[in-house]
Amino acid sequence: MADTNDIQTFIKPYLVPEGSEELNRSLQAMAASFAVTDDKISEIIKGLHKSMKTGLDHDDPDALPMIPTYVNGRPTGKETGTFLALDLGGTNLRVCQVTLKGDTTYSLVQQKFTITQEAKESRLWDFIAECVGVFLEEHDLRPAPGKRTIPCGYTFSFPIYQTGIASGNLSMWNKSFTVPNSVGRDVVNLTQSAFQRHHVPVEVVAVLNDTVGTLMTSGYSHPDTQMGIIFGTGTNAAYWENLENIGKWTGPDRKGEMVVNLEWGAFDNATEVLPYTAHDNKLNRKSSNHGLQVFEKMISGLFLGEVARNAILSLVDQRLIFAGRSSEILNKSYTFDTAYMSEIVADASPDLANVKVVLEGTLDIPPTTLIDRKVVQHVCNMIGTRGVRLSAAAMSAVLLARPELLTSTVSVGIDGSMYQFYPNFERNLYSVSRVFLGEDFVDNRLKLHLAKDGSGVGAAIVAMTVDRDRNR
Ligand code: BGC
């Protein structure tokens, strides 16, 4: 097995023997800059632990947010009923009617609405109300007899500081959202007011982060679930923590457990630990949330393609690929979709035919040589490998923070486009984690599960518990 603590392991596979010396020198330097050795991962895990501990103790702009979520009851899998759920992601808004069947299974009817640019920039709350209105009408849903509203769980995939199970103030936008007059305000209030304006008879009874939804959904089917993760447009995780370890929790109960939303995308905003390259810095400088979510910018789907585009353009500028020519499309930010990276990395044909289609057909680059295509595939691989190694580092850090859990089986619920579609993502998560969590644990007790549609289903599970407690 390759020695993943030796930097050469991260360089050698990316050399192109038939390419020029100059090209290989540049590739070597690039591969070294994207390499994350085992020692570096250990340092990152240490940094994550320090930041988690500080964040649990008090709010600190340089530490992880570690947000208490007010979710304190594990699902049993026996919950039943039909609930409405809203799931606001980075790309889509999904409105779902979820039926929990009480036998660890569920079914759902859902409608997906692509969030328009206009909604991302200005009229998000009205857009949400309109979509929910359409869903209620198309599925002929109305409040139960004697009730004025339909209770609903609301998954919100942006950082909110929760002040209760159904309230939370937006700490900032990310994923290119910039809706004005929202930061610092209660997102449930903002949504509820839009429902009123649009005469939508729905009441949000619980608001939760998408990672919390994923954790709850996975827990519904696998009661040994300790952690929920999103590796998608953005990235983040939530886990069960002992209340006595959450120093900043000021609620009445100090016993038992509560789900904590890490907001791990914010790790290392002080830029002390992660291995930044010039391509990351360029992306960060030009982004709407400059200096924030720097960890997320190295591993999530919204950003990986842009890091790759920056790296590819740097080779074009050195006239090392594409005969020094780019295209109008490739010159524009965020045109190199992370989905193209997946296609490029997966291309095993001898002449890299799919890479050719993406470069020449989709991105309009002038005719490429096989060397050009190999180089682009290598660049994508370097950045994808770094992404999955950092993802495994973060997952391992969270599991290692509760070592008492690692003696029995541990399930982790995961959702998101990187996990589902990036080639070998899950396999690599397992193999990188083995180094840090131990072979015995990873091979025999760690179970990673796709919690498909987890954020919507999880919202329904939490809404159900709130509704049940209210009607007691
Ligand atoms: C957000 C998190 C969210 C994650 C995954 C991040 O950009 O800050 O709240 O959980 O994306 O969707």
Side-chain angles (χ1 to χ4, degrees):
M1 252 195 26
D3 177 0
T4 43
N5 212 19
D6 177 358
I7 188 118
Q8 288 307 322
T9 306
F10 298 91
I11 294 176
K12 277 198 195 127
Y14 301 128
L15 298 180
V16 180
E18 62 278 35
S20 68
E21 216 172 281
E22 210 189 339
L23 171 68
N24 278 298
R25 250 200 318 274
S26 275
L27 279 177
Q28 179 164 357
M30 191 180 275
S33 73
F34 284 118
V36 191
T37 59
D38 292 349
D39 280 351
K40 187 67 192 172
I41 293 189
S42 298
E43 200 189 314
I44 292 168
I45 291 178
K46 235 194 238 155
L48 276 159
H49 281 166
K50 188 165 158 236
S51 195
M52 285 170 72
K53 209 156 172 242
T54 307
L56 284 174
D57 187 63
H58 61 272
D59 291 335
D60 178 331
D62 284 339
L64 286 175
M66 306 300 288
I67 303 168
T69 61
Y70 292 78
V71 173
N72 54 11
R74 292 193 183 227
T76 60
K78 297 202 175 88
E79 291 80 359
T80 53
T82 298
F83 292 87
L84 195 64
L86 280 187
D87 176 13
L88 180 75
T91 317
N92 298 306
L93 170 74
R94 288 184 306 147
V95 189
C96 328
Q97 196 189 15
V98 182
T99 302
L100 306 170
K101 297 185 180 166
D103 60 355
T104 77
T105 68
Y106 53 80
S107 62
L108 84 165
V109 179
Q110 63 167 322
Q111 204 164 338
K112 200 154 95 174
F113 302 87
T114 304
I115 304 168
T116 58
Q117 197 51 36
E118 194 195 11
K120 288 183 183 178
E121 286 169 6
S122 59
R123 55 183 309 277
L124 179 70
W125 314 109
D126 291 289
F127 173 82
I128 294 173
E130 282 159 12
C131 296
V132 176
V134 168
F135 184 83
L136 296 190
E137 207 167 295
E138 286 192 6
H139 295 84
D140 201 17
L141 297 177
R142 359 169 166 246
K147 305 268 179 194
R148 292 176 52 197
T149 51
I150 307 174
C152 163
Y154 187 14
T155 311
F156 202 78
S157 315
F158 299 88
I160 52 172
Y161 279 97
Q162 292 202 232
T163 45
I165 189 68
S167 54
N169 300 329
L170 181 68
S171 92
M172 63 172 172
W173 284 121
N174 49 37
K175 299 174 183 153
S176 310
F177 278 53
T178 52
V179 186
N181 303 323
S182 311
V183 173
R185 297 179 67 188
D186 181 350
V187 298
V188 175
N189 261 339
L190 290 167
T191 311
Q192 206 65 61
S193 308
F195 286 162
Q196 261 147 25
R197 283 196 297 278
H198 291 262
H199 307 290
V200 173
V202 166
E203 185 197 351
V204 174
V205 297
V207 63
L208 49 148
N209 187 258
D210 51 354
T211 56
V212 181
T214 302
L215 174 66
M216 296 305 272
T217 305
S218 179
Y220 185 72
S221 305
H222 310 281
D224 57 3
T225 301
Q226 304 296 354
M227 190 177 173
I229 312 182
I230 302 282
F231 290 121
T233 308
T235 184
N236 185 19
Y239 75 116
W240 285 105
E241 181 56 276
N242 283 325
L243 264 172
E244 57 191 18
N245 292 336
I246 312 177
K248 68 185 176 187
W249 173 250
T250 51
D253 256 340
R254 292 213 61 93
K255 290 217 160 47
E257 291 180 305
M258 180 171 282
V259 175
V260 171
N261 165 16
L262 282 106
E263 286 295 335
W264 74 19
F267 175 57
D268 203 37
N269 281 347
T271 62
E272 284 165 345
V273 186
L274 294 172
Y276 304 94
T277 67
H279 314 298
D280 299 300
N281 295 336
K282 188 169 167 197
L283 177 151
N284 193 10
R285 243 178 244 124
K286 286 174 96 179
S287 63
S288 57
N289 56 354
H290 171 221
L292 300 173
Q293 300 294 101
V294 293
F295 188 51
E296 177 167 73
K297 287 171 181 158
M298 288 188 172
I299 57 182
S300 80
L302 179 59
F303 302 105
L304 282 198
E306 181 64 3
V307 178
R309 192 186 72 91
N310 287 342
I312 291 166
L313 283 179
S314 77
L315 296 174
V316 174
D317 291 345
Q318 296 170 70
R319 303 187 67 82
L320 295 172
I321 53 170
F322 309 156
R325 280 173 299 164
S326 178
S327 70
E328 246 181 69
I329 301 180
L330 191 66
N331 285 343
K332 280 207 194 99
S333 303
Y334 292 92
T335 48
F336 193 78
D337 207 289
T338 304
Y340 304 157
M341 277 178 78
S342 295
E343 265 177 66
I344 288 171
V345 165
D347 188 353
S349 67
D351 59 344
L352 299 179
N354 290 340
V355 181
K356 188 175 165 76
V357 171
V358 173
L359 294 178
E360 298 175 23
T362 313
L363 297 169
D364 202 25
I365 290 164
T368 56
T369 64
L370 182 56
I371 293 185
D372 288 339
R373 301 198 284 278
K374 272 193 188 159
V375 170
V376 169
Q377 191 178 50
H378 284 343
V379 171
C380 291
N381 262 320
M382 292 171 197
I383 294 164
T385 301
R386 182 184 70 164
V388 76
R389 287 181 65 76
L390 293 176
S391 302
M395 181 179 80
S396 303
V398 176
L399 293 176
L400 285 169
R402 294 210 56 192
E404 74 278 13
L405 300 176
L406 306 190
T407 50
S408 37
T409 314
V410 169
S411 283
V412 177
I414 313 184
D415 200 359
S417 49
M418 291 300 292
Y419 181 68
Q420 282 196 71
F421 307 121
Y422 196 84
N424 303 320
F425 195 90
E426 186 191 81
R427 200 181 70 194
N428 289 331
L429 264 189
Y430 273 117
S431 73
V432 178
S433 308
R434 281 171 107 231
V435 179
F436 306 96
L437 296 173
E439 291 179 13
D440 172 45
F441 173 70
V442 173
D443 295 348
N444 302 313
R445 297 193 295 286
L446 177 64
K447 312 274 176 232
L448 307 183
H449 302 281
L450 172 66
K452 191 146 173 48
D453 303 321
S455 27
V457 177
I461 295 171
V462 178
M464 193 233 83
T465 50
V466 172
D467 196 51
R468 184 189 56 200
D469 294 350
R470 280 208 309 202
N471 290 326
R472 259 189 192 149

